[in-house]
Amino acid sequence: MSSNKLLSVSAICSLLVATCAREIVFPPVDAIYAYQSSLRAGGSLDDVDITTGSQFSGLTTFAHLPYVNCFEDTDDAPKYDIAFLGAPFDTGVTARPGARFGPGGIRQGSRRMSPVAGWSVYTGENSFDDWATIIDCGDAPLTFLDNTVALKQLEKAHKVISGRAAATTRKSSTPRIITLGGDHTTTLAALRSTYAHWGEVSVIHFDSHIDTWDPKTIGGGISHYAGVNHGTFLHLAHEEGLIRNTSIHAGIRAPLIRPKGDLRNDIRCGFEIVRAKDIDRIGVSGIIDKLKSRVGDTNVYISVDIDVLDPAFAPATGTSEVGGWTTRELLSILDGLKGMKIIGADIVEVAPIYDSAGEITVLAAAEVAHSLMTLMVQQPVQP
């Protein structure tokens, strides 16, 4: 074949490819953000929206909820039904400190949550966009030099926040609080406050440790001051008459200090135990049934220590115990508690300094907080 014929065939092939090839037209860069006005030549800054469209703007509140200074009593203070409250306290721990930074870490973990993008793929519901007005009060101002004073400050913060009239009184006249901890000692202040509105409550306690130790066993042998800590707070809550004899632990696996005395005292404090390995035998639905059967129709306070999860899923905590539940298992169990009368809740013992670069602990903690909030929205409660 002559060179002229080869050139002719090549030209025809090139023409066919050019004719059949997909034509790719790139839009202007600003067209990617179709909901914002563009800055074309001659455009005006007045057309640009800087109030919406970013998950990284403004103050870091939980899930971009509105911030309200809940500690000042003013006539024009906004009303709310559910409030997030940070408890930056970690001087009641027996192992690694760092949970005073937990509230900020959990809020960081919630950055991708938002009321405008909160529709559940499982239920089709958006608990942010329901009947409840939900806000973030920021952190309670706690001293870090005196545990007794700090816990009194936290208790007062709880009483002030829950002492106002709710925004939607036809549904629930008393605002409910979700505490972002903070070590587990902070739950004692919350229970003291809830007693004023709700009386004795059943506690569902997700944890790897029982936390009903007698202060003489942990800390109290040194002083009464040292006896108030994250391993004794449920014992103290029982002694103060704050909790019912219908409470239950879930996810327990840590060793005991006394072979029989710790369990006897735990029963005396009003608790039954669901151990971590029980989930292998009865499954998630079996765990849910046990929790529901134990608390019945009583008012319930849910306290979640992030170390109920296995360290593979939540390394950023002070007293990790191997053999725990997965994040999905815990979230499924919480989902199964729909319909319970939850009057208060917390997610505690998050110490972000020990987290991975992927922030897996604070992400898990934020989702737990979201689940607790959803349970409150699903079931309004009147005193």
Side-chain angles (χ1 to χ4, degrees):
M1 185 179 293
S2 68
S3 60
N4 288 338
K5 288 184 178 180
L6 286 172
L7 288 172
S8 177
V9 172
S10 177
I12 292 171
C13 289
S14 297
L15 179 61
L16 287 172
V17 170
T19 302
C20 299
R22 183 189 297 263
E23 184 178 352
I24 300 175
V25 179
F26 290 97
V29 172
D30 57 15
I32 296 171
Y33 304 98
Y35 55 85
Q36 290 190 340
S37 299
S38 62
L39 270 177
R40 297 186 181 90
S44 170
L45 286 176
D46 294 337
D47 299 329
V48 179
D49 179 10
I50 60 171
T51 62
T52 61
S54 174
Q55 53 188 274
F56 308 109
S57 61
L59 295 173
T60 304
T61 61
F62 184 83
H64 300 277
L65 292 168
Y67 165 72
V68 173
N69 184 348
C70 305
F71 311 116
E72 291 186 356
D73 194 6
T74 59
D75 294 335
D76 59 347
K79 292 185 177 181
Y80 45 84
D81 299 298
I82 299 172
F84 285 91
L85 171 67
F89 176 94
D90 66 1
T91 45
V93 300
T94 55
R96 298 186 297 192
R100 70 180 64 182
F101 302 106
I106 297 170
R107 292 187 180 101
Q108 283 284 98
S110 74
R111 282 175 299 176
R112 294 186 63 246
M113 297 180 187
S114 171
V116 300
W119 298 95
S120 170
V121 72
Y122 299 106
T123 65
E125 300 173 351
N126 184 348
S127 52
F128 293 105
D129 187 28
D130 208 296
W131 65 269
T133 299
I134 310 172
I135 54 100
D136 189 333
C137 294
D139 291 355
L142 309 181
T143 179
F144 48 86
L145 298 174
D146 189 305
N147 288 4
T148 301
V149 174
L151 291 175
K152 287 182 179 179
Q153 290 173 318
L154 183 56
E155 182 181 349
K156 184 173 182 179
H158 273 271
K159 287 184 176 179
V160 169
I161 294 169
S162 62
R164 299 195 173 102
T168 317
T169 53
R170 62 183 173 81
K171 287 279 193 176
S172 184
S173 58
T174 300
R176 290 175 285 175
I177 299 172
I178 300 171
T179 306
L180 309 177
D183 81 49
H184 224 150
T185 318
T186 58
T187 302
L188 181 59
L191 290 171
R192 287 170 174 169
S193 174
T194 57
Y195 181 81
H197 298 290
W198 311 95
E200 294 179 339
V201 297
S202 300
V203 174
I204 298 180
H205 174 228
F206 291 92
D207 205 316
S208 61
H209 312 86
I210 57 173
D211 291 349
T212 53
W213 277 288
D214 191 315
K216 295 177 182 177
T217 303
I218 296 183
I222 300 172
S223 67
H224 290 298
Y225 181 92
V228 181
N229 59 65
H230 73 163
T232 64
F233 72 94
L234 287 174
H235 175 102
L236 298 173
H238 163 73
E239 292 289 308
E240 295 177 19
L242 308 178
I243 59 179
R244 295 172 55 91
N245 192 33
T246 50
S247 298
I248 188 166
H249 307 293
I252 300 298
R253 61 190 183 277
L256 303 172
I257 297 173
R258 299 177 295 173
K260 295 182 179 179
D262 290 345
L263 291 178
R264 282 199 299 264
N265 187 64
D266 191 65
I267 294 170
R268 187 180 71 85
C269 290
F271 282 85
E272 286 187 356
I273 296 178
V274 174
R275 293 165 177 81
K277 289 184 178 180
D278 290 347
I279 202 168
D280 300 326
R281 180 172 51 86
I282 62 176
V284 167
S285 60
I287 302 293
I288 294 169
D289 290 342
K290 279 183 171 289
L291 300 181
K292 285 185 171 182
S293 174
R294 178 62 173 169
V295 303
D297 191 42
T298 62
N299 291 331
V300 176
Y301 187 98
I302 297 181
S303 184
V304 182
D305 186 327
I306 198 65
D307 74 19
V308 71
L309 299 180
D310 189 88
F313 302 94
T317 190
T319 47
S320 297
E321 304 286 351
V322 299
W325 290 342
T326 69
T327 308
R328 187 178 67 250
E329 287 169 342
L330 175 60
L331 294 176
S332 295
I333 292 168
L334 289 173
D335 289 345
L337 303 183
K338 180 179 180 179
M340 279 190 182
K341 296 187 291 186
I342 312 300
I343 54 82
D346 60 52
I347 169 68
V348 298
E349 297 284 355
V350 177
I353 190 64
Y354 311 115
D355 215 351
S356 69
E359 300 182 319
I360 58 175
T361 310
V362 297
L363 289 170
E367 197 58 51
V368 168
H370 181 210
S371 294
L372 295 171
M373 182 196 82
T374 298
L375 289 173
M376 290 185 176
V377 172
Q378 288 171 338
Q379 184 61 54
V381 187
Q382 294 285 6

